[in-house]
Amino acid sequence: MKIGIIGTGYVGLVSGACFAESGHQVICVDKDSQKIDKLRQSEIPIYEPGLDELVDRNQREHRLNFSCQIRDICDARPEVIFFTVGTPPKADGSADLSFLFQAAEEVAKYLVAPALLVSKSTVPVGTCRKLWNLLQQKTEIPFEIISNPEFLKEGDAIHDFTKPDRIVVGCQSEQAKQAMTHLYEPFVRTDNPILFVDLESAEMIKYASNAFLAAKISFMNELSQICQATCADIDAVRKGMGFDKRIGHSFMFAGVGYGGSCFPKDVKALAHLAEEKGMSHQLMSAIDEVNERQKNYLAERLAFKFGSDLKGKTIALWGLSFKPKTDDIREAPALTMINRLLKMGATVRATDPVAIENMRQIYPEQVAFSHDQYAVIEGADALVLLTEWAQYRRPDFLKMKAIMRRAVIFDGRNIYQSQAMKALGFEYEGIGKS
Ligand code: NAD
C-alpha cells in the first residue's frame, strides 16, 4: 500500500517506520525542513530506542521517504494519508487544532486521487466530523475521514506500535475497514483486536484512556501524602492494592507527577470538552490539580529542609525527561523543579542520559549541565532524583557520600530504600514514606 504521513514527530516517525518495515511504501512529511534534512541522512531528531535502525534500513531499501511538501504525498496517490501533527494545549486548556486543519486543507488542495484521511493525532470528540464537513467544501475528490488514535508510549514506541493491546478505528465504510485491517493485521497476529467503532467513540476512547491512566497516578500521588501523614508506606500500600486483579500494578507508582505531551494536555482538553457541553468535570479537574501540586511537592520539601532562601546552596538533579527512555521534556516535572529552585536562588546542576540538549534550549545559562551524574553532585547540598533512568538505580553511594557537601537525597521516584540509605549515612526523603 502507498501511505502518506503528515507530521514526522514521535508518533509520525514511529508509525511511518513501522508501516515501511511491514512492506508498505511510505512518505513522511514535516514542515520542519531541518528535521527532514536530518532524516534523509538517517539522523533521528528524537531519542526513541530502536528507531534509528528502522529508519535507516527502510530508507536504504526505498520503502521510506521524506519530504517537506504535502503535495509530494498527494502526487504519489496514496490510498491512506495519516495526520500525526501535534495538538498542543491552548491557554484555556482546549486542544489547538490549527496544525491539523492547516494540514488537512493543504491535502484537500492537492488531492488528485481518492484517499482515506486518517487522524492519528489526539483530537476532541467531534473533530473528525468537522474535518469531513470542511474538506467536503474544499475538494471534489472522494475521501473518507477515519479516526485511528495512537496509544504508543515514548521509550517503548516501536514495541507498542507493532504489538498493540488493541487498535481502535472510527470509520463508516466497508472499504475503510478493509484498508485498516490490511494495514494493521501484521501487528495483531496474537489476536489482539482491531475495534471498529463510530468516529466520536474512537476520539473519546483515546481521551478517556489517558485521563483514566492519569487518574490512577494522581490517586496514588494524593494517597502518598496521606500515607506520609499517617506513617503508612506508599510502596507497601501500592503492592497490597495492586495484587487485587481489579486494580492491577501498572500506573500505581507515586512520584513527582506525570508530564509529557499527552496526559497533561488530554486531561485538560477532556475537562474543557465537558465544560463546553455544560457538563460537570470535577474529577478531570482534580486529576490535573493533584498533579500540579505533586510537581511542586519536592521543591516544598527542599524549602522545608533548607529554608526558602537557597542562595549559596547547590542542588543537583538526576533526570530531566518526563520519564526514562525518552528525550521529551514537554511538561516534565523537572521544569517545575528548576523554575522553583531558580526562584529560591539555588545554584542548579543537572544531568540526564539524553534530554540535556532539549533542556539547555530552555535554560542556556541558568542551569549547569553535565553528562556525568557524579560531576553534578560534587559539592552539592542535595540531590533530587526526578526520572528513574536505569543508571540511577544502583549508583556508587559511597562515592556520592564522599563528594557531596551534604549527603541529602530527595528521591522523587522511590527507587532507593529508605532504611538502607539512612544506614549509609544519607538524609533521605522519598514520596509517601513516613
Ligand atoms: P510532535 O510535536 O513530536 O510532532 C508533530 C510534528 O508535526 C512536528 O514535527 C511538526 O513540525 C509537524 N507538523 C505540524 N504541522 C504540520 C504541517 N502542517 N505539515 C507537516 N508537518 C507538520 O508530536 P507527537 O508527540 O508525535 O504527537 C502527535 C499527536 O499524536 C498529538 O496529537 C499527540 O497527542 C498524539 N500522541 C502522541 C503520543 C506521544 O507519546 N508523543 C502518543 C499517542 C498520541
Side-chain angles (χ1 to χ4, degrees):
M1 220 181 225
K2 275 191 208 156
I3 299 171
I5 304 228
I6 301 174
T8 309
Y10 288 89
V11 170
L13 186 56
V14 170
S15 307
C18 292
F19 282 137
E21 181 76 359
S22 62
H24 299 292
Q25 282 295 325
V26 181
I27 304 180
C28 285
V29 163
D30 204 286
K31 63 179 184 181
D32 179 343
S33 57
Q34 281 183 346
K35 199 179 254 191
I36 293 300
D37 287 345
K38 277 188 177 172
L39 283 163
R40 284 182 173 141
Q41 311 296 319
S42 286
E43 261 183 64
I44 309 297
I46 54 171
Y47 176 82
E48 182 58 50
L51 191 56
D52 48 355
E53 198 188 315
L54 273 191
V55 169
D56 186 43
R57 181 171 51 250
N58 284 285
Q59 199 165 205
R60 269 191 287 111
E61 294 172 5
H62 308 294
R63 285 186 299 273
L64 183 60
N65 295 287
F66 294 100
S67 166
C68 293
Q69 306 298 332
I70 286 182
R71 188 175 193 158
D72 288 343
I73 287 188
C74 296
D75 287 349
R77 297 172 170 255
E79 286 102 316
V80 186
I81 300 176
F82 284 94
F83 294 95
T84 51
V85 295
T87 48
K90 291 203 269 193
D92 65 359
S94 64
D96 180 353
L97 300 173
S98 57
F99 298 114
L100 177 67
F101 278 86
Q102 223 172 21
E105 286 201 36
E106 215 176 322
V107 167
K109 184 170 161 195
Y110 294 121
L111 205 58
V112 286
L116 299 170
L117 308 184
V118 187
S119 170
K120 227 181 212 319
S121 297
T122 304
V123 293
V125 181
T127 303
C128 284
R129 211 163 285 278
K130 269 190 210 148
L131 259 186
W132 191 82
N133 287 333
L134 176 79
L135 299 193
Q136 278 286 319
Q137 297 157 30
K138 305 271 175 183
T139 178
E140 305 272 291
I141 309 284
F143 69 90
E144 180 174 342
I145 300 281
I146 296 176
S147 169
N148 170 219
E150 180 51 56
F151 297 95
L152 64 77
K153 54 186 180 307
E154 291 170 20
D156 285 310
I158 293 168
H159 170 272
D160 291 350
F161 194 90
T162 53
K163 294 187 175 53
D165 291 340
R166 80 308 204 183
I167 300 289
V168 172
V169 179
C171 68
Q172 286 160 328
S173 74
E174 203 44 48
Q175 186 211 348
K177 280 186 188 167
Q178 279 174 15
M180 298 304 278
T181 303
H182 178 73
L183 270 179
Y184 282 112
E185 238 170 17
F187 306 134
V188 290
R189 298 191 62 213
T190 45
D191 285 342
N192 286 353
I194 302 177
L195 299 169
F196 291 103
V197 297
D198 58 275
L199 283 176
E200 285 75 12
S201 301
E203 292 169 328
M204 184 57 98
I205 287 169
K206 175 63 191 176
Y207 272 124
S209 303
N210 274 359
F212 189 79
L213 294 172
K216 280 182 98 173
I217 297 173
S218 278
F219 180 90
M220 293 308 288
N221 280 335
E222 186 158 283
L223 192 68
S224 73
Q225 309 273 340
I226 305 171
C227 282
Q228 185 139 21
T230 53
C231 295
D233 181 320
I234 189 69
D235 282 327
V237 174
R238 169 178 60 78
K239 284 183 195 147
M241 291 169 69
F243 281 106
D244 184 327
K245 288 193 184 67
R246 297 167 302 176
I247 296 174
H249 292 288
S250 57
F251 286 80
M252 294 286 284
F253 288 82
V256 282
Y258 58 74
S261 69
C262 292
F263 287 4
K265 85 170 167 58
D266 294 349
V267 169
K268 285 190 183 79
L270 189 52
H272 192 270
L273 199 63
E275 177 94 32
E276 263 182 5
K277 299 286 174 198
M279 310 297 294
S280 149
H281 51 84
Q282 276 167 294
L283 186 53
M284 303 305 155
S285 303
I287 297 167
D288 186 43
E289 272 166 40
V290 169
N291 194 54
E292 282 309 310
R293 202 169 60 211
Q294 197 71 13
K295 279 169 143 183
N296 281 283
Y297 173 67
L298 280 189
E300 269 142 38
R301 296 305 300 164
L302 265 154
F304 184 76
K305 190 166 200 74
F306 294 111
S308 54
D309 182 359
L310 294 182
K311 276 191 208 84
K313 297 271 183 295
T314 299
I315 311 297
L317 308 181
W318 278 6
L320 298 170
S321 56
F322 81 94
K323 64 172 188 170
K325 296 197 284 177
T326 182
D327 61 348
D328 198 342
I329 57 162
R330 288 177 282 187
E331 307 258 359
L335 293 165
T336 309
M337 175 58 85
I338 293 174
N339 290 341
R340 291 287 304 267
L341 290 175
L342 292 175
K343 238 186 212 156
M344 291 191 275
T347 299
V348 182
R349 296 202 205 129
T351 188
D352 186 282
V354 297
I356 287 179
E357 291 319 314
N358 285 341
M359 204 52 104
R360 204 195 296 277
Q361 286 179 20
I362 300 177
Y363 305 103
E365 308 285 338
Q366 306 91 317
V367 175
F369 296 101
S370 167
H371 288 280
D372 182 339
Q373 73 192 71
Y374 295 103
V376 295
I377 58 169
E378 210 166 333
D381 295 280
L383 164 66
V384 185
L385 182 123
L386 292 171
T387 318
E388 67 278 32
W389 283 93
Q391 54 264 58
Y392 304 150
R393 284 183 183 271
R394 292 292 175 268
D396 184 341
F397 289 116
L398 294 179
K399 176 173 174 179
M400 288 167 67
K401 187 148 182 290
I403 62 177
M404 290 179 76
R405 181 153 58 198
R406 191 167 162 187
V408 176
I409 297 184
F410 289 92
D411 178 0
R413 300 291 179 176
N414 284 349
I415 63 174
Y416 306 131
Q417 296 301 322
S418 145
Q419 289 308 325
M421 297 308 293
K422 282 173 189 161
L424 283 164
F426 284 92
E427 295 169 67
Y428 173 83
E429 204 171 309
I431 303 280
K433 310 266 175 186
S434 60

